[in-house]
Amino acid sequence: MAKSSSLNVRVVEGRALPAKDVSGSSDPYCIVKVDDEVVARTATVWRSLSPFWGEEYTIHLPLDFHHLAFYVLDEDTVGHDDIIGKISLSREAITADPRGIDGWIDLSRVDPDAEVQGEVCLDVQMLEGAQGRCLRCHVLQARDLAPRDVTGTSDPFARVFWGSQSLETSIIKKTRFPHWDEVLELPETPGGPAPLRVELWDWDMVGKNDFLGMVEFPAAVLQRSPPSGWFRLLPFPRAEEDSGGTLGALRLKVRLSEDRILPSQHYQPLRELLMESVQGPAEEDATSPLAVLEELTSGDCRQDLATKLVKLFLGQGLAGPFLDYLTRREVTRTADPNTLFRSNSLASKSMEQFMKELDPCKIDLGRTRRISFKGALSEEHVREASLGLLTGYLGPIVDAIVGSVGRCPPAMRLAFKQLRQRVEERFPQAEHEDVKYLAISGFLFLRFFAPAILTPKLFDLRDHHADPQTSRSLLLLAKAVQSIGNLGQQLGQGKELWMAPLHPFLLQSISRVRDFLDQLVDVDGEEGEFQCFGRTWQMRSSIPVSHIRAVERVDEGAFQLPHVMQVIARDAAGALHTMYLQGKNVNELNQWLSALRKASAPNPDKLATCHPGTFRSSRWTCCLQAERSAAGCSRTHSAVTLGDWSDPLDPDAEIQMVYRQLLLGRDQLRMKFQAECNRDTSPEADARRASRAKEGACPEARGRQREAAGRLLEVLADLDRAHEELQQQEQQKAALGPLGH
């Protein structure tokens, strides 16, 4: 049974940040750290004390993850960036509520003594001698210590306390990976058993030394099982200082997902039920197991369910039938064509997710829909000053859109073709002629083109958010494109009278959009031809993925360059070789690290340690060891990766989430099943059922729904037993210790 752990993080916005620049403003950005490893950096929002980022990340974690931290900094073009504040969330705080964290959190001051990281390796023994007991502490080495000097390194030494005694190691200059290999012996002093405390410090020639972290072991632990191995460094215990809101706040959404993934054969019955749902006759759409699953899913969970189902059906080659099934259900339940696909239904969410899966940029359509077009901006002033400029921009935008048919992924065109056919069948009347266009443009224009124009950073079209003046222009352009996508149905209505001078251009564009949508669905292909398309790369040199043994960051001091990574590979002769690559920013670096770690995950003989520096001038720049073949001084981080559009499909993980969703609705499932079993059989009840049958509520349909609920309950029971059995096996192995494995 495989275990998985992932964090869903959304950095939404900030408020009331302090001004760090002489202009009375700041240029804030946010850094996200997992256990002191930087995993993401938001864009910089220039000249703002209330920045909006809206950036979202999925982070796959090692199972021993401890805490998550957010740092807000003010970017400076000259000198070091200013730290504004931080938010630190422990694993316990994140998991306290199953729904995670969602809200405003005040920033706290950054205390240098609390900013510790890394580990220390110790071997402790309690010795009995003629002169009494003594404690023997072998201080071997430390790794990944915090850089305290301007050079990006430290000058570390260790100080050992036991009772009233203390001793220090030597100082090792300019390294975050010191090797001491020193033995310190401290005699026992009167006063009873005492704890052992080991502190690490950065030595400074001028001023006070800087704290690097500590570990402490109670006296009972020393007596029972003296510590030996690597230990995580901790800050001095102290209450976190409350800034009282003077540093501002961040609005965050954080949720930790942990699960156990069963062997694939256990999921086969549930997988078959879902596949049957989309391959059955249309008259059974409303009573299929998938229909029952949708009814059990609340609006909050529907996006997650859509994401997993799209990936699952893509992996099975049934994305076409799946989307067609949902479309049939959506149009059948819609009486007013003006409301088609306007709700947060599973059909709407699944089509959005499908568009995301086929696009080579990481596009989160769910989050862009939450962007409001109702900003209190001086639109009239902008219109008066730049109407001609806006029209000049709109022309090339519309030209690019209507000329993009050939660049739309074939699978997406097939999906829109099916969508149009179902809408035409449901609304054949002449007065509903535009519905077949609006159903498609609702996805393409309202949920794709317009949000991409409004916030290009969220679509990876720009590295940074636009400045306020540019944002106002983008807002007007996005509204204009939205109006074109609505086929001009709301022109001149409501509060959009400011667009009146643009009406001639917008109306001319509507006929071009209709032609564009007609061409878009004019595609040949079978439903089974849906597949996921990825990027293509031109390569000057290559490393076989099967040869990769580690993919890690490189310290900036190694080459005096930021955002450098190393790929360590083993050649056919067994020798290790290292290739160094530089990303243009921290996010690109993290994407490369994540992609290569996931691609090489199945490789055998992965390295447990590596050197985060380089071998230069007859020594490693990181740990100062003189042997090129010296063991790595830092552990590798293969378990920390970012969720991405190009992740390999994992049908077992997708179906496990469906199982979890069914568990939440188990009580409703039982009610559906038992209600039909225990139904009233009196003549009056039969008469009521006959009346409902005349109105379309077919008794046969209710029977099929009861059957679907019953089959789902059986699958749930089987999966419950499988989880319990494998969990018992894990507990038995753990009880037996190493021999049990």
Side-chain angles (χ1 to χ4, degrees):
M1 184 187 327
K3 295 181 181 179
S4 66
S5 181
S6 62
L7 269 174
N8 298 101
V9 176
R10 187 167 191 243
V11 184
V12 185
E13 59 186 320
R15 69 181 180 193
L17 300 182
K20 290 291 186 178
D21 300 335
V22 293
S23 63
S25 188
S26 290
D27 305 312
Y29 66 92
C30 187
I31 284 177
V32 184
K33 285 187 176 183
V34 172
D35 287 346
D36 305 311
E37 182 177 11
V38 176
V39 295
R41 180 201 192 276
T42 70
T44 300
V45 179
W46 304 101
R47 298 187 297 279
S48 175
L49 300 181
S50 298
F52 174 81
W53 290 291
E55 300 192 22
E56 195 163 351
Y57 314 96
T58 297
I59 307 163
H60 301 295
L61 298 167
L63 295 175
D64 58 351
F65 142 75
H66 296 286
H67 69 273
L68 175 71
F70 301 85
Y71 293 79
V72 180
L73 295 92
D74 166 56
E75 183 167 338
D76 289 329
T77 54
V78 178
H80 292 286
D81 295 348
D82 301 315
I83 298 177
I84 294 175
K86 68 173 285 191
I87 293 170
S88 185
L89 301 173
S90 67
R91 183 192 192 103
E92 292 72 25
I94 297 171
T95 57
D97 188 329
R99 296 168 297 181
I101 293 171
D102 183 358
W104 289 96
I105 304 176
D106 286 343
L107 290 164
S108 300
R109 300 187 188 280
V110 175
D111 178 3
D113 286 344
E115 297 299 299
V116 303
Q117 65 183 58
E119 299 171 300
V120 62
C121 186
L122 305 170
D123 183 23
V124 179
Q125 292 178 302
M126 300 298 298
L127 304 177
E128 297 282 352
Q131 298 180 351
R133 291 203 314 164
C134 76
L135 182 144
R136 183 178 188 270
C137 183
H138 189 180
V139 184
L140 289 96
Q141 58 183 307
R143 61 190 180 193
D144 197 30
L145 300 180
R148 296 298 193 209
D149 300 336
V150 293
T151 58
T153 63
S154 290
D155 305 318
F157 68 93
R159 185 178 292 156
V160 180
F161 296 86
W162 190 49
S164 60
Q165 306 291 314
S166 68
L167 290 174
E168 295 179 357
T169 66
S170 59
I171 299 167
I172 300 181
K173 299 288 189 67
K174 298 180 180 178
T175 180
R176 299 194 304 115
F177 301 86
H179 280 245
W180 290 289
D181 197 14
E182 296 183 25
V183 176
L184 306 178
E185 292 189 355
L186 296 89
E188 186 176 35
T189 57
L196 168 67
R197 188 172 76 252
V198 180
E199 298 175 359
L200 269 57
W201 292 83
D202 165 52
W203 176 82
D204 285 332
M205 181 178 293
V206 179
K208 67 173 186 175
N209 298 331
D210 300 312
F211 180 64
L212 292 172
M214 59 160 282
V215 291
E216 189 167 24
F217 306 98
V221 171
L222 298 176
Q223 297 294 331
R224 182 176 65 253
S225 177
S228 179
W230 286 97
F231 301 95
R232 180 168 165 259
L233 294 171
L234 301 172
F236 281 125
R238 66 180 68 186
E240 189 169 280
E241 182 182 353
D242 186 0
S243 65
T246 59
L247 299 178
L250 291 185
R251 185 169 157 230
L252 302 171
K253 293 185 178 182
V254 181
R255 187 181 62 187
L256 179 65
S257 302
E258 296 181 298
D259 221 334
R260 286 178 167 85
I261 309 299
L262 297 169
S264 185
Q265 67 269 20
H266 293 286
Y267 297 113
Q268 190 59 27
L270 179 55
R271 190 180 294 113
E272 289 176 354
L273 276 182
L274 297 177
M275 300 304 127
E276 289 174 13
S277 298
V278 304
Q279 294 174 310
E283 58 269 17
E284 296 182 8
D285 284 352
T287 59
S288 69
L290 191 54
V292 174
L293 174 62
E294 182 179 6
E295 291 178 17
L296 300 177
T297 308
S298 65
D300 294 341
C301 301
R302 202 160 284 157
Q303 180 62 64
D304 288 341
L305 179 63
T307 299
K308 299 301 182 183
L309 287 175
V310 168
K311 287 179 175 289
L312 178 65
F313 281 97
L314 272 172
Q316 299 294 316
L318 293 173
F322 169 63
L323 293 173
D324 189 37
Y325 163 86
L326 293 177
T327 299
R328 291 197 307 263
R329 291 208 65 204
E330 180 82 5
V331 298
T332 300
R333 292 179 296 185
T334 303
D336 182 357
N338 294 318
T339 64
L340 190 62
F341 295 111
R342 297 303 173 97
S343 66
N344 289 325
S345 64
L346 186 60
S348 298
K349 296 292 186 184
S350 297
M351 181 63 80
E352 291 173 5
Q353 183 63 29
F354 179 69
M355 292 170 65
K356 174 184 172 183
E357 289 297 319
L358 292 186
D359 194 88
C361 294
K362 187 180 180 184
I363 299 168
D364 193 335
L365 297 166
R367 77 184 180 213
T368 56
R369 286 186 63 198
R370 290 192 285 270
I371 297 170
S372 174
F373 285 169
K374 300 179 180 179
L377 301 173
S378 54
E379 296 166 348
E380 184 174 356
H381 173 75
V382 175
R383 175 182 60 82
E384 294 292 340
S386 58
L387 179 60
L389 189 62
L390 285 175
T391 307
Y393 284 137
L394 273 175
I397 289 174
V398 174
D399 289 344
I401 290 175
V402 300
S404 65
V405 172
R407 281 178 285 187
C408 183
M412 193 181 298
R413 296 179 66 181
L414 283 171
F416 287 145
K417 179 179 181 179
Q418 289 181 345
L419 172 59
R420 175 164 166 163
Q421 289 173 346
R422 298 304 177 187
V423 171
E424 286 179 317
E425 292 169 1
R426 177 67 176 85
F427 300 105
Q429 299 88 349
E431 64 266 26
H432 297 322
E433 172 66 19
D434 281 343
V435 177
K436 64 184 180 184
Y437 296 112
L438 292 169
I440 300 173
S441 66
F443 289 108
L444 267 183
F445 284 79
L446 275 65
R447 296 166 176 164
F448 185 68
F449 292 136
I453 293 169
L454 179 66
T455 52
K457 169 64 178 68
L458 297 187
F459 286 69
D460 288 339
L461 300 176
R462 290 290 183 270
D463 290 334
H464 299 285
H465 289 290
D467 59 64
Q469 183 176 354
T470 304
S471 294
R472 284 193 288 269
S473 297
L474 293 177
L475 173 67
L476 301 185
L477 290 169
K479 284 189 172 184
V481 169
Q482 183 185 19
S483 295
I484 294 172
N486 280 329
L487 304 184
Q489 290 191 350
Q490 297 178 348
L491 288 180
Q493 302 178 18
K495 300 179 181 179
E496 306 298 331
L497 298 178
W498 63 269
M499 293 183 69
L502 291 175
H503 286 184
F505 176 85
L506 299 180
L507 292 172
Q508 291 173 9
S509 301
I510 289 170
S511 60
R512 298 180 66 195
V513 168
R514 284 197 179 95
D515 291 341
F516 161 69
L517 295 175
D518 285 335
Q519 295 174 42
L520 195 68
V521 299
D522 185 14
V523 58
D524 295 326
E526 300 297 327
E527 293 182 356
E529 291 183 9
F530 283 74
Q531 52 184 309
C532 194
F533 294 85
R535 309 182 199 184
T536 59
W537 302 92
Q538 291 184 346
M539 302 176 63
R540 298 179 182 270
S541 62
S542 64
I543 298 175
V545 171
S546 59
H547 291 188
I548 295 176
R549 294 298 177 264
V551 183
E552 295 296 321
R553 284 179 170 81
V554 175
D555 282 349
E556 287 192 18
F559 298 102
Q560 302 303 315
L561 292 171
H563 319 311
V564 177
M565 61 179 282
Q566 57 180 319
V567 180
I568 306 173
R570 193 182 300 277
D571 63 19
L576 291 174
H577 300 275
T578 303
M579 175 182 284
Y580 297 98
L581 305 169
Q582 184 183 23
K584 66 179 181 181
N585 54 46
V586 68
N587 284 345
E588 184 179 74
L589 173 67
N590 287 326
Q591 289 167 358
W592 274 104
L593 286 168
S594 179
L596 291 175
R597 285 172 180 174
K598 283 181 282 196
S600 61
N603 293 354
D605 305 324
K606 298 291 284 293
L607 298 181
T609 61
C610 71
H611 288 284
T614 184
F615 194 79
R616 189 171 59 241
S617 301
S618 301
R619 68 176 186 176
W620 287 100
T621 59
C622 45
C623 59
L624 311 181
Q625 295 186 84
E627 296 292 331
R628 181 184 289 272
S629 59
C633 57
S634 178
R635 64 189 178 113
T636 54
H637 303 81
S638 59
V640 181
T641 59
L642 292 171
D644 195 64
W645 69 273
S646 57
D647 283 354
L649 297 174
D650 187 349
D652 293 338
E654 321 302 348
I655 204 75
Q656 171 67 16
M657 186 273 173
V658 176
Y659 161 68
R660 290 295 177 195
Q661 189 60 50
L662 286 170
L663 281 182
L664 294 175
R666 191 201 297 266
D667 290 343
Q668 292 174 264
L669 263 181
R670 286 172 175 159
M671 290 173 61
K672 281 181 176 295
F673 183 73
Q674 293 171 355
E676 191 67 19
C677 290
N678 301 327
R679 67 175 181 169
D680 189 352
T681 57
S682 66
E684 295 80 4
D686 287 339
R688 288 195 299 271
R689 281 191 287 273
S691 175
R692 286 199 300 270
K694 292 179 181 179
E695 298 170 1
C698 178
E700 289 80 3
R702 292 175 59 86
R704 289 196 298 269
Q705 192 172 56
R706 172 185 172 274
E707 180 185 355
R711 295 176 69 188
L712 287 171
L713 285 170
E714 290 177 7
V715 167
L716 272 180
D718 291 340
L719 286 171
D720 287 345
R721 283 192 293 271
H723 273 282
E724 291 171 2
E725 290 171 1
L726 289 175
Q727 192 168 1
Q728 289 173 1
Q729 293 175 12
E730 284 186 350
Q731 292 171 348
Q732 290 170 359
K733 287 183 179 180
L736 290 173
L739 293 178
H741 297 275

